[in-house]
């Protein structure tokens, strides 16, 4: 088991290129099933979730090569229509393969991703979208779909990112016109649209709540660069706000971070947004201030994935900050670990009240989820003493070499085998 030793108290300084977005590369890898020739993807992050996605593609018959941050997928020999329970559990967003697999082969057999329990669950949005395009879906010890998508009206009950992407992928590989209403508007959906259109698809409306897909167009192979990861950027900015110093991030669009940057500006940081970079500075003797209520919301609102890292930074601030988590029920699992570091945080349901402390202290803490792990690392950099962070398997799902990124900015972080 690996752990990180993080010695806090040193300001961060430097410039860093943000790696490719996990939430963009995963649906784009699934979309490769729809191509008629090899696809080359650049700026792909080296993450355990990406490794799991490549394993699924190989299982389905694709030829896959990876060298550094470049991945080549040749789907011409793909013929499989089933994904095993073990592979579905290896990646929480594995359900994204449902749409393109059904469109390619006319059938799909999957278990529930991540061991989802029966009853009301987000996966229902994916299945209702598939049904709306004329496919037959049954649930019997797994998910079984048959039929070729023929287009139609997909009305999402919630603007789910995954369900929007699955609907797009299924519609692109089917026939006819599909309209998706109440679609999610996240930038990663725009990246998926750009990728598909670069191969010859006709997808319009990404970034709005209505997306139009003209199915049945043959998709060629091609080359595409994955967008920068805005949540990784938000985590690094949170680390800089917690530790102090000045950090410049390249390779990410500041507009995708507007709500996060606004919070740090209100908290007393100097924020500079330019076409090619984002910069945050918190100088010596400039303590963070508590800010008005932070309420998570679908894009373009404050991202739920940035809630934990920003909370970690504001745990050591002057004043109070109220967080309201509107997206997920269990998004405060990092709070008990921050309390181990001296934070004063009270939660009730989806509300968390952060009473700022002068400074946190090092402790032994464990990452219980991906973004909570990034939050604990950010908090540790601003804390006094050494923090030992375990549960790195969660962090490795979404951060490529987090310890290396932080060290390049002057942090004292070491990864060891426990």
């Amino acid at each position: 088991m690996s752990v990180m030793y993080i010695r806090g108290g040193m300001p961060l300084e430097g410039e860093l290129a943000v790696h490719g977005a996990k939430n963009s590369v995963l649906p784009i890898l699934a979309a490769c099933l729809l191509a008629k020739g090899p696809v080359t993807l650049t700026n792909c992050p080296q993450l355990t979730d990406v490794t799991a996605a490549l394993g699924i593609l190989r299982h389905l018959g694709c030829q896959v090569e990876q060298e550094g941050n470049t991945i080549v997928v040749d789907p011409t020999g793909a013929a499989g229509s089933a994904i095993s329970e073990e592979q579905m559990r290896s990646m929480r967003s594995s359900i994204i393969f449902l749409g393109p697999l059904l469109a390619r082969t006319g059938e799909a057999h999957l278990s529930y991703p991540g061991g989802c329990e029966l009853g009301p669950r987000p996966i229902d949005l994916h299945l209702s979208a598939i049904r709306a395009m004329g496919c037959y879906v049954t649930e019997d010890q797994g998910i079984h779909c048959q039929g070729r998508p023929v287009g139609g009206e997909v009305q999402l009950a919630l603007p789910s990112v995954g369900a929007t992407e699955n609907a797009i992928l299924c519609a692109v590989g089917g026939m006819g016109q599909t309209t998706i209403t109440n679609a999610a508007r996240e930038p990663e959906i725009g990246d998926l649209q750009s990728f598909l259109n670069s191969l010859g698809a006709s997808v319009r409306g990404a970034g709005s709540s209505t997306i139009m897909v003209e199915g049945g167009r043959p998709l060629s192979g091609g080359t595409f660069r994955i967008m920068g990861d805005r949540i990784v950027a938000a985590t690094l900015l949170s680390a800089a706000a917690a530790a102090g110093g000045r950090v410049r991030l390249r390779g990410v669009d500041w507009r995708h971070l507007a709500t996060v940057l606004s919070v740090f500006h209100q908290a007393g940081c100097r924020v500079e947004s330019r076409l090619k970079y984002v910069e945050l500075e918190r100088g010596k003797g400039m303590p963070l201030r508590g800010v008005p209520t932070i309420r998570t919301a679908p894009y373009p609102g404050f991202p739920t994935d940035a809630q934990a890292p920003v909370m970690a930074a504001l745990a050591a601030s002057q004043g109070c900050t109220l967080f309201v988590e509107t997206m997920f029920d269990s998004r405060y699992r990092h709070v008990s670990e921050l309390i181990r570091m001296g934070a004063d945080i009270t939660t009730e349901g989806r509300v968390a009240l952060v009473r700022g402390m002068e400074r946190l202290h090092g402790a032994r803490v464990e990452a219980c989820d991906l973004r909570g792990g990034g939050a604990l690392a950010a908090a540790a950099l601003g804390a006094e003493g050494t923090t030992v962070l375990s549960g790195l398997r969660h962090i490795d799902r979404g951060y490529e070499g987090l310890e290396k990124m932080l060290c390049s900015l002057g942090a004292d972080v070491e990864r060891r085998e426990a």
Side-chain angles (χ1 to χ4, degrees):
M1 181 184 71
S2 298
V3 297
M4 278 187 206
Y5 283 78
I6 305 174
R7 298 167 185 85
M10 291 176 291
L12 302 185
E13 192 79 27
E15 184 172 326
L16 183 68
V18 177
H19 66 65
K22 175 182 82 78
N23 292 338
S24 178
V25 71
L26 296 181
I28 285 176
L29 284 172
C32 290
L33 285 170
L34 301 174
K36 300 300 183 183
V39 175
T40 300
L41 303 175
T42 63
N43 199 37
C44 297
Q46 298 181 56
L47 309 171
T48 54
D49 270 12
V50 171
T51 300
L54 298 182
I56 291 174
L57 287 173
R58 291 188 179 101
H59 169 76
L60 294 172
C62 297
Q63 296 294 317
V64 179
E65 296 180 6
Q66 182 177 17
E67 184 174 348
N69 296 110
T70 298
I71 295 173
V72 179
V73 179
D74 184 352
T76 53
S81 60
I83 303 176
S84 70
E85 180 178 0
E86 181 181 1
Q87 289 171 319
M88 289 295 292
R89 286 178 177 271
S90 68
M91 185 179 70
R92 293 185 182 180
S93 55
S94 53
I95 190 65
I96 196 62
F97 283 90
L98 174 61
L101 188 58
L102 182 59
R104 181 182 179 94
T105 68
E107 59 179 324
H109 306 281
L110 296 74
S111 69
Y112 296 106
C116 291
E117 298 180 358
L118 296 178
R121 56 198 185 277
I123 198 174
D124 292 337
L125 298 175
H126 299 251
L127 302 185
S128 64
I130 297 299
R131 290 188 177 102
M133 285 180 271
C135 299
Y136 182 67
V137 181
T138 60
E139 296 184 73
D140 180 17
Q141 297 183 342
I143 304 164
H144 308 280
C145 305
Q146 289 184 320
R148 299 280 183 179
V150 294
E153 300 285 334
V154 176
Q155 299 180 1
L156 296 176
L158 297 170
S160 161
V161 175
T164 300
E165 292 168 338
N166 239 336
I168 291 171
L169 294 174
C170 191
V172 164
M175 299 298 294
Q177 185 91 12
T178 299
T179 302
I180 305 166
T181 57
N182 199 26
R185 300 166 59 188
E186 272 69 6
E188 293 78 11
I189 294 173
D191 215 32
L192 177 62
Q193 173 179 280
S194 296
F195 168 71
L196 290 168
N197 289 348
S198 74
L199 303 186
S202 176
V203 184
R204 295 177 287 115
S208 74
S209 58
T210 302
I211 296 175
M212 306 287 292
V213 181
E214 182 184 333
R217 292 194 174 196
L219 304 190
S220 64
T223 299
F224 188 79
R225 180 178 175 83
I226 303 297
M227 66 181 287
D229 197 313
R230 62 193 173 102
I231 305 303
V232 169
T235 303
L236 295 172
L237 294 172
S238 298
R246 181 175 61 87
V247 167
R248 176 177 290 187
L249 303 179
R250 294 180 285 105
V252 65
D253 190 330
W254 71 268
R255 294 169 296 184
H256 300 161
L257 290 163
T259 53
V260 176
L261 297 175
S262 176
V263 166
F264 285 129
H265 175 72
Q266 294 175 67
C269 298
R270 183 187 67 81
V271 176
E272 183 177 343
S273 304
R274 292 291 182 265
L275 183 63
K276 294 186 177 181
Y277 68 85
V278 174
E279 184 172 289
L280 182 143
E281 180 179 13
R282 182 171 76 83
K284 189 175 182 180
M286 296 172 56
L288 291 174
R289 301 188 297 265
V291 303
T293 301
I294 298 174
R295 185 184 301 270
T296 64
Y299 190 85
F302 189 92
T304 182
D305 282 349
Q307 174 255 109
V310 171
M311 181 186 291
L314 294 177
S317 64
Q318 295 180 347
C320 298
T321 302
L322 188 71
F323 287 80
V324 181
E325 174 55 63
T326 69
M327 305 293 290
F328 295 101
D329 290 326
S330 302
R331 213 65 202 259
Y332 290 142
R333 298 175 69 187
H334 55 283
V335 168
S336 61
E337 301 302 293
L338 288 174
I339 291 173
R340 289 177 180 269
M341 302 176 69
D344 185 356
I345 305 174
T346 303
T347 62
E348 183 173 343
R350 294 193 176 200
V351 176
L353 176 62
V354 179
R355 303 175 185 87
M357 307 291 291
E358 182 176 351
R359 195 166 191 181
L360 304 184
H361 57 75
R364 287 187 172 270
V365 293
E366 181 178 2
C368 298
D369 55 48
L370 169 56
R371 303 309 174 188
L376 294 174
L381 292 169
E384 184 176 6
T386 299
T387 295
V388 181
L389 174 57
S390 59
L392 302 191
R393 67 187 183 281
H394 297 294
I395 293 174
D396 293 340
R397 288 183 46 237
Y399 298 95
E400 179 184 326
L402 179 59
E403 67 279 6
K404 295 178 181 178
M405 286 191 282
L406 295 174
C407 286
S408 72
L409 297 173
D412 187 350
V413 182
E414 183 182 0
R415 184 166 181 151
R416 304 180 192 169
E417 292 300 315

